[in-house]
Amino acid sequence: MSESKNNTVLVTGGAGYIGAHACKALQQVGYVPVTFDNLSTGHAEAVKFGPLFKGDLTDRSSIDAAFQEHRPHAVLHFAALSQVGESVTDPGRYWRENVGGALNLIEATVAAGVMNFVFSSTCATYGDQDGVVLTEDTDQRPMNAYGGSKLAIEQMLADFVPKGLEAVIFRYFNVAGADPDADVGEDHDPETHLIPLVIDAIAGRRGPLTIFGTDYDTPDGTCIRDYVHVSDLADAHVKGLEWLTAGKGSRTFCLGTGTGFSVREVIDAAKAVTNAEVPHSEGARRAGDAARLVCGSERAKTELGWTPTRSDMVTMLRDAHRWHEKGSF
Ligand code: UDP
């Protein structure tokens, strides 16, 4: 497909887990996703659905050069440091790279006259709010620098609306699974996320899983999360882009299923799906973890027309398992 002004979008972090799946979804409906990535955690081999521009968000001139070369009409901003634990031990890096990088990107976007911006935010902006089903209107009280940096970027975007910028903000819950064709999938180093660690523990690719905390105030004592399939999330981004290009304006959407799974429930489901034991032990709590993060996605469903189709635990585990068995891009 040829690249033209009307269908080109700049995807920061397009070489990463969620960004690569979004690039596939975008390409499938006729966009040209230009990946902007420093490849610090992303993979050049994951950039299969459009061109790669190697650049760094902390270097404004490289962002300007990407706009010059590709002339996108919208920006999807995925690139970020995203490990809760690391953000507790090295908060400065999160503020410098996530917030500083986003400021460079937003200023470059506005300077290029591009006014449609889709931003990957997180349920970690809410902090720990026991028993609450989180919605777009719930107070945000982040409890670590990862959540804090994402909330700061949400606020930054609001400050650029008077300059003409329109932003769709997606607050993701726990992203899981992989492309059903296994073209792309999750490949973090180090891997810190529950589902790939469960699958690797089953396969013996690494040691037993440690359950981080069994004394939370939840029915089985382990943390509860709302898991969403990465391909459903990618579809939401296409809808978010269409929302903006239709002139519907800035809006925030939570993306989850409203159903929470505890760590023990994920382990049990993985055992059922793979017909294999999950070697694991019980350990201490991990710093920065909230007991329960579950969201209501009514707004995304009713306003955006987003319907998750693969976000049941069995499908997420099957797709993740298929990808991890394939083992490479
Ligand atoms: N978790 C765990 N052991 C691990 C990794 C994660 O018990 O080795 C737990 C973690 O404490 C959290 C849940 O699994 O309650 C999901 O963690 P993950 O890192 O996948 O996502 P997060 O919720 O931090 O975004």
Side-chain angles (χ1 to χ4, degrees), residues 174 192-194 197 209-212 223 225 227 263 286 289:
N174 283 64
T192 61
H193 293 112
L194 179 64
L197 291 177
L209 179 86
T210 304
I211 299 180
F212 293 147
C223 290
R225 295 287 182 274
Y227 294 86
V263 176
R286 181 175 66 179
D289 267 342

Side-chain angles (χ1 to χ4, degrees), residues 22-133:
C23 286
K24 178 169 180 174
L26 289 161
Q27 190 215 35
Q28 281 181 326
V29 294
Y31 291 100
V32 177
V34 176
T35 289
F36 181 97
D37 205 298
N38 65 7
L39 301 180
S40 66
T41 57
H43 306 273
E45 316 85 85
V47 184
K48 299 179 169 183
F49 311 103
L52 169 64
F53 188 102
K54 195 162 178 276
D56 197 302
L57 293 174
T58 59
D59 170 16
R60 167 73 191 265
S61 66
S62 71
I63 310 172
D64 290 336
F67 275 106
Q68 279 285 330
E69 188 175 330
H70 291 285
R71 310 228 167 251
H73 79 280
V75 173
L76 285 80
H77 179 34
F78 295 90
L81 300 169
S82 62
Q83 290 176 36
V84 168
E86 181 191 52
S87 84
V88 175
T89 52
D90 193 358
R93 201 173 163 215
Y94 279 69
W95 285 91
R96 203 165 35 248
E97 296 188 30
N98 284 0
V99 180
L103 179 57
N104 281 337
L105 177 65
I106 292 166
E107 289 197 302
T109 302
V110 172
V114 178
M115 294 306 172
N116 293 332
F117 197 99
V118 180
F119 173 55
S120 304
S121 189
T122 169
C123 60
T125 58
Y126 291 110
D128 205 351
Q129 306 200 33
D130 268 357
V132 176
V133 173

Side-chain angles (χ1 to χ4, degrees), residues 118-259:
V118 180
F119 173 55
S120 304
S121 189
T122 169
C123 60
T125 58
Y126 291 110
D128 205 351
Q129 306 200 33
D130 268 357
V132 176
V133 173
L134 305 164
T135 73
E136 295 81 2
D137 301 321
T138 308
D139 281 349
Q140 291 165 288
R141 297 182 227 134
M143 53 192 282
N144 51 57
Y146 169 58
S149 69
K150 290 285 187 171
L151 177 57
I153 298 165
E154 289 194 13
Q155 291 166 338
M156 192 190 292
L157 284 167
D159 288 343
F160 279 83
V161 169
K163 305 282 288 180
L165 191 73
E166 299 290 356
V168 160
I169 294 170
F170 286 124
R171 293 188 193 134
Y172 307 160
F173 284 65
N174 283 64
V175 189
D179 172 44
D181 306 321
D183 285 338
V184 284
E186 189 164 16
D187 187 2
H188 295 117
D189 185 17
E191 185 53 79
T192 61
H193 293 112
L194 179 64
I195 289 179
L197 291 177
V198 165
I199 287 169
D200 278 356
I202 291 171
R205 274 187 292 268
R206 63 179 99 214
L209 179 86
T210 304
I211 299 180
F212 293 147
T214 53
D215 60 347
Y216 284 96
D217 186 15
T218 59
D220 69 16
T222 65
C223 290
I224 293 175
R225 295 287 182 274
D226 186 340
Y227 294 86
V228 189
H229 195 293
V230 64
S231 297
D232 284 336
L233 211 64
D235 290 344
H237 285 77
V238 174
K239 289 187 181 294
L241 187 55
E242 286 165 356
W243 172 280
L244 287 172
T245 49
K248 294 184 178 174
S250 296
R251 196 77 168 135
T252 298
F253 299 97
C254 286
L255 298 178
T257 65
T259 306

Side-chain angles (χ1 to χ4, degrees), residues 235-316:
D235 290 344
H237 285 77
V238 174
K239 289 187 181 294
L241 187 55
E242 286 165 356
W243 172 280
L244 287 172
T245 49
K248 294 184 178 174
S250 296
R251 196 77 168 135
T252 298
F253 299 97
C254 286
L255 298 178
T257 65
T259 306
F261 287 86
S262 73
V263 176
R264 288 194 207 280
E265 285 171 334
V266 171
I267 291 172
D268 290 345
K271 185 177 165 184
V273 165
T274 61
N275 213 8
E277 290 299 324
V278 183
H280 66 274
S281 62
E282 298 183 357
R285 291 184 177 198
R286 181 175 66 179
D289 267 342
R292 184 172 185 276
L293 290 170
V294 178
C295 96
S297 291
E298 278 318 299
R299 184 185 287 179
K301 287 182 189 140
T302 55
E303 295 187 18
L304 214 51
W306 178 66
T307 314
T309 59
R310 303 192 72 81
S311 294
D312 60 284
M313 187 50 75
V314 169
T315 304
M316 288 187 284

